[in-house]
Amino acid sequence: VEALPGRCGVRVAGEVDVTVRDSWRAMLAALADVDGDVHLDLSALTFIDVQGVAELVELADGLGEERRMVLRQPPRVLQQVMNVLWPHAPRSIVVNAL
Amino acid sequence: VTTATEPFDHPALFYRDEQEYLAGTLPFITEGLAAGAPVAVSVPTANLALLRRELGGDAERVRMLDMTQVGRNPGRIIPGVLRAFADAHPDQHVRIIGEPIWAWRSEAEYPACVQHEALINHAFTGRTVTILCPYHVTALDPQVVADAARTHPVLVDSTGRRDSDHYAPDAVVADYNRPLTTPPNAATFTADAADLGRLRCWADATARTCGLSADRTGDLLLVVTELATNSIEHARSSATVMLGVDGRELVCQVHDTGHITDPLVGRRPEAVGQRRGRGVLMVNHLADLVRLHTTTSGTSIEARFVLA
C-alpha cells in the first residue's frame, strides 16, 4: 500500500484475503476519515476475496451523498464479486478503467 | 404451517409427451399473463424452444431462461433464478416454471438436483409464489419420479391435481447427503490462514496442468479461497484442498472438521448479514456443479469446472 500523490487515496498491490484482513480494514477506515473522494488505484491488485470486497462496499455505503469512491483498474475478480453479490452497488462507487 | 394456509405452491408436473407438457404448462403461463402476474420459464433448451414457439408474441412478456445454462449448477437456481425473479416482484403472485432435472443429468449432478428441489420448499415458505416443476416421467429413472413425490407437496398429471402422500423434503436432503468420491489422481494441499497465497499458487499451477482455461482458473482461485477461508474462520479447522480430474471436469474438494447445519447456506441471494453464506453463494455462481457432504465429524464441499 502506498499513498497517491496529490489526492486522498492509495495504490494497493498484491492480494487481499483473510491474512491481511485487519490491515485492509484499518486502511479503508483511515480513508473514510478524510474529506473528499476516495481514490483506490487497484491496477496492481492481483486478488481480492469476497470479504475484502464487502469491506470496500461498506466503506462506499458510509461515504454519504457528496463523496465518491473511485476504483482505478480493479481486477476481474472484484468486478465478478460485485456483479453477483452487490448488483445494486452504492452509487458512490465509480469504476475507472483508465 | 399447514398446506391449507401456506401461500407457497410447489407442484410437480408429471408429463409423458409434448402434448401433456403443453397442456400442463401453457395455461399456467397464459392465465398468469392474463392476471397481470410476473411469469418466468426456466427449462431445458428444447422445451424452451417449444414453449417460445407455442407462446408466439406472448413469449416477450415472459422471462425465458435456458435451465441447462442458468441452472447447470443446481445450487445456483434458488438464488440466481427463482429468488432473483420472485424478489424483483415482491408484491405480486409470481409464477415460475422450473425444470431442473432432465434425463441426461449425470450421477454426480443428481444428488444436488434433488436436494435443490427439496430446499425450494424452505426457501419460499410464506411467499405468495407458485413454482411448477415439470418431470418427463417416461424419460426419467423411476427413482427420480419417486423422489419428486417426496420433494413436492402437490402432484399434477393428465388426471388432475392431488396432494402428495410421500412429501418429505427434509428426509430427501438427509438421504442425498452422501460422501463425495475423490478422484484417484487428486493432488492435496493442506492450508491454514497463513497459507492462502501459497494455496492459490498451487491451485493455479495444478489447474493449468489439468487444462483449465485462464478465466476459469481465475474463478477457481476465488472458489478455493472462499471455501478454505470458511474452513479456517467458521469451522476453526485447517482446509484440506484436493484437485483432480474426473472425465472432462476439474474436481476441487475442500475438507474440514466443521458441520454445516444451515441447509440453505449459499442459496440466499442477499449479500448482507451472512458471511459464510456469501462465500458459498459466490461459489454457487461460479462453479458448474457444487456438492456438499456434511456431518458432525466433518464437511466436504466439491466444486466442478468443465474442461473446455
Side-chain angles (χ1 to χ4, degrees):
Chain A
V1 175
E2 59 186 50
L4 288 176
R7 52 168 53 153
C8 169
V10 291
R11 178 173 186 275
V12 184
E15 304 184 313
V16 172
D17 64 21
V18 66
T19 46
V20 296
R21 189 77 75 227
D22 292 341
S23 53
W24 177 245
R25 193 176 293 147
M27 185 208 76
L28 292 175
L31 290 173
D33 283 342
V34 183
D35 288 339
D37 293 347
V38 174
H39 292 264
L40 287 164
D41 180 345
L42 303 179
S43 56
L45 182 71
T46 52
F47 181 84
I48 185 165
D49 71 355
V50 166
Q51 185 57 28
V53 178
E55 293 184 3
L56 269 182
V57 173
E58 278 167 34
L59 170 62
D61 261 334
L63 288 180
E65 295 289 305
E66 303 295 313
R67 301 169 64 196
R68 295 180 309 157
M69 174 189 285
V70 182
L71 306 180
R72 180 170 175 271
Q73 288 185 12
R76 172 176 173 267
V77 59
L78 184 146
Q79 303 260 32
Q80 282 181 298
V81 171
M82 295 276 296
N83 289 345
V84 171
L85 298 181
W86 289 276
H88 311 292
R91 277 179 301 131
S92 52
I93 295 186
V94 178
V95 174
N96 188 345
L98 300 175
Chain B
V1 180
T2 66
T3 47
T5 55
E6 172 56 51
F8 178 52
D9 186 23
H10 184 209
L13 168 68
F14 291 159
Y15 68 97
R16 288 176 295 193
D17 51 34
E18 187 176 298
Q19 192 183 348
E20 289 189 2
Y21 191 77
L22 292 174
T25 56
L26 272 183
F28 178 83
I29 297 169
T30 53
E31 286 165 18
L33 290 176
V39 181
V41 171
S42 187
V43 298
T45 318
N47 286 343
L48 191 69
L50 172 68
L51 286 174
R52 203 185 285 280
R53 193 163 67 235
E54 293 293 323
L55 285 167
D58 278 345
E60 285 166 29
R61 299 160 63 203
V62 178
R63 181 115 171 91
M64 307 283 280
L65 300 166
D66 187 332
M67 193 63 116
T68 65
Q69 292 168 21
V70 297
R72 177 181 174 78
N73 172 27
R76 187 184 178 277
I77 299 173
I78 289 174
V81 179
L82 304 178
R83 287 258 334 246
F85 187 71
D87 293 4
H89 306 92
D91 303 318
Q92 291 169 278
H93 186 159
V94 170
R95 291 182 180 220
I96 304 172
I97 298 176
E99 187 170 0
I101 299 180
W102 43 84
W104 63 98
R105 280 286 199 188
S106 70
E107 223 172 285
E109 291 169 271
Y110 182 67
C113 292
V114 68
Q115 287 187 320
H116 151 75
E117 279 282 38
L119 292 170
I120 288 178
N121 300 293
H122 289 300
F124 283 91
T125 299
R127 300 282 298 267
T128 307
V129 170
T130 301
I131 300 176
L132 176 71
C133 302
Y135 281 79
H136 192 185
V137 293
T138 47
L140 294 165
D141 189 279
Q143 182 62 51
V144 173
V145 180
D147 285 339
R150 298 204 293 160
T151 54
H152 295 77
V154 172
L155 307 177
V156 178
D157 62 18
S158 60
T159 66
R161 180 184 165 108
R162 64 186 187 276
D163 287 344
S164 173
D165 295 331
H166 302 286
Y167 181 58
D170 294 343
V172 170
V173 174
D175 284 356
Y176 285 94
N177 180 33
R178 294 178 178 174
L180 305 174
T181 308
T182 304
N185 55 26
T188 303
F189 188 106
T190 302
D192 290 305
D195 302 322
L196 288 179
R198 274 189 305 246
L199 169 66
R200 282 190 294 274
C201 274
W202 170 81
D204 183 67
T206 307
R208 285 167 186 267
T209 304
C210 295
L212 196 65
S213 70
D215 274 0
R216 289 304 265 163
T217 299
D219 298 345
L220 172 75
L221 298 186
L222 183 57
V223 163
V224 294
T225 301
E226 292 306 320
L227 295 178
T229 301
N230 277 344
S231 298
I232 292 159
E233 287 197 313
H234 299 286
R236 297 171 190 281
S237 161
S238 59
T240 303
V241 181
M242 306 179 100
L243 284 173
V245 173
D246 178 26
R248 294 300 302 153
E249 294 175 324
L250 182 79
V251 178
C252 166
Q253 292 180 348
V254 178
H255 307 271
D256 66 39
T257 59
H259 180 209
I260 294 179
T261 53
D262 173 8
L264 287 175
V265 68
R267 297 180 204 250
R268 294 185 187 84
E270 311 86 3
V272 182
Q274 47 155 352
R275 280 184 62 162
R276 182 176 194 147
R278 203 152 58 187
V280 182
L281 176 60
M282 195 66 213
V283 172
N284 267 332
H285 272 270
L286 290 174
D288 292 316
L289 176 64
V290 176
R291 306 202 293 167
L292 170 70
H293 178 237
T294 185
T295 71
T296 50
S297 55
T299 292
S300 303
I301 300 188
E302 176 180 291
R304 290 182 177 234
F305 294 83
V306 172
L307 296 165

